[in-house]
Amino acid sequence: MATNKVLGYLESRKNLTGSACGIVGLALTFTGMAGPYWPAVVAGLYGAGALLAPPERPPLPDFPDPSAQLDELRDDFGKLRAYLTDIELPPAAAGRLTELTDLLTALLDPGWVSQVLAQDPEGIHALSRAVRQDIPEAVDTFVRTRWWTRLAPGVEPPERHLERQLAVLHSEAQTLATSLHEVEARRQESHTRYLEDRS
C-alpha cells in the first residue's frame, strides 16, 4: 500500500512539475547564479513547482454504456418471461400481457431498433422500469388479490385492474416505439434534405 502511494506520487503532476522546477534550480547552480545557497534554491523551486501544479483529477466513474445496460435488461426480460409462463391469467389479461411482451421483445431484440434505443436514456429507463418493476408488480398483485377475493366475493374482480394496468404499460411502450420511429423518420428526412441541397 505504501509502495503504491510512493509510486503514485512519483508519477503525479506535483512531483513532475516540482522536478522540472528543481532542474531549473540545478541549471542556475551550474551557471553560478544560485551561489552557496544552491540547495535551498533547488528545494525552493521544487516546492514552488509542486504547489503550483494543477491538482490530480480523479478518474470518472466507470458506468456501463447503454448497450451493456440493454444487455442486462434483455437478461432481466428473459427472467420475467420465464416467471410469467408459470402464472395463470384470465384470457383477456393474458391477451393484453402477450401484446405487451411482444412489443417489449421487438424493442429489446438486438438490431437497429435497439441501436436507436441505446441513444435514448429515458427510453431505456422506461423499459427497465416496466420490466423490472411495473409488470412483475402488476402480475404479483393480481395473484395475491385474486386469492383474497375468494374470501370476500362480490368485490371488483382483480383481473380488471390487471387489464387496466397492462393497457397503460402497453400504451407507454407504444409511445416509446413511436418516438423511436420518429427519430428514424427525422433522420431519413434530414438525409433527403442533405442530398437535395448537395445537388
Side-chain angles (χ1 to χ4, degrees):
M1 185 74 172
T3 307
N4 289 342
K5 286 185 177 179
V6 170
L7 289 175
Y9 180 76
L10 289 176
E11 297 173 350
S12 71
R13 293 178 184 177
K14 288 187 176 298
N15 183 50
L16 294 176
T17 307
S19 297
C21 290
I23 290 172
V24 171
L26 287 174
L28 292 174
T29 299
F30 291 130
T31 59
M33 296 178 71
Y37 303 106
W38 70 268
V41 170
V42 172
L45 285 173
Y46 174 87
L51 288 174
L52 293 175
E56 292 295 321
R57 188 178 56 127
L60 291 171
D62 186 21
F63 294 122
D65 64 3
S67 59
Q69 292 177 351
L70 280 176
D71 289 339
E72 292 175 10
L73 187 53
R74 283 187 197 102
D75 291 342
D76 290 345
F77 184 55
K79 293 175 191 172
L80 175 64
R81 293 191 77 163
Y83 161 75
L84 294 174
T85 58
D86 295 333
I87 304 295
E88 185 181 333
L89 297 176
R96 286 202 179 272
L97 184 60
T98 300
E99 290 175 1
L100 176 57
T101 54
D102 287 349
L103 180 54
L104 294 177
T105 299
L107 288 169
L108 288 171
D109 272 349
W112 68 268
V113 174
S114 61
Q115 290 171 359
V116 177
L117 179 60
Q119 306 306 315
D120 183 2
E122 291 181 11
I124 294 174
H125 174 71
L127 282 184
S128 174
R129 186 181 57 212
V131 168
R132 295 175 174 148
Q133 178 182 338
D134 295 337
I135 298 172
E137 178 68 19
V139 173
D140 184 58
T141 304
F142 163 75
V143 170
R144 287 185 281 125
T145 307
R146 179 176 58 180
W147 184 85
W148 284 104
T149 56
R150 294 176 185 162
L151 302 176
V155 297
E156 184 177 11
E159 54 265 24
R160 288 193 190 147
H161 284 286
L162 178 61
E163 289 168 24
R164 287 164 53 196
Q165 292 166 4
L166 294 174
V168 169
L169 292 171
H170 185 275
S171 175
E172 288 179 357
Q174 189 63 57
T175 301
L176 174 60
T178 301
S179 71
L180 295 177
H181 172 261
E182 288 171 356
V183 167
E184 287 301 288
R186 283 194 300 271
R187 182 178 170 198
Q188 184 184 35
E189 289 168 8
S190 107
H191 188 60
T192 302
R193 282 195 301 273
Y194 163 74
L195 292 175
E196 290 172 346
D197 293 345
R198 192 177 70 179
S199 299

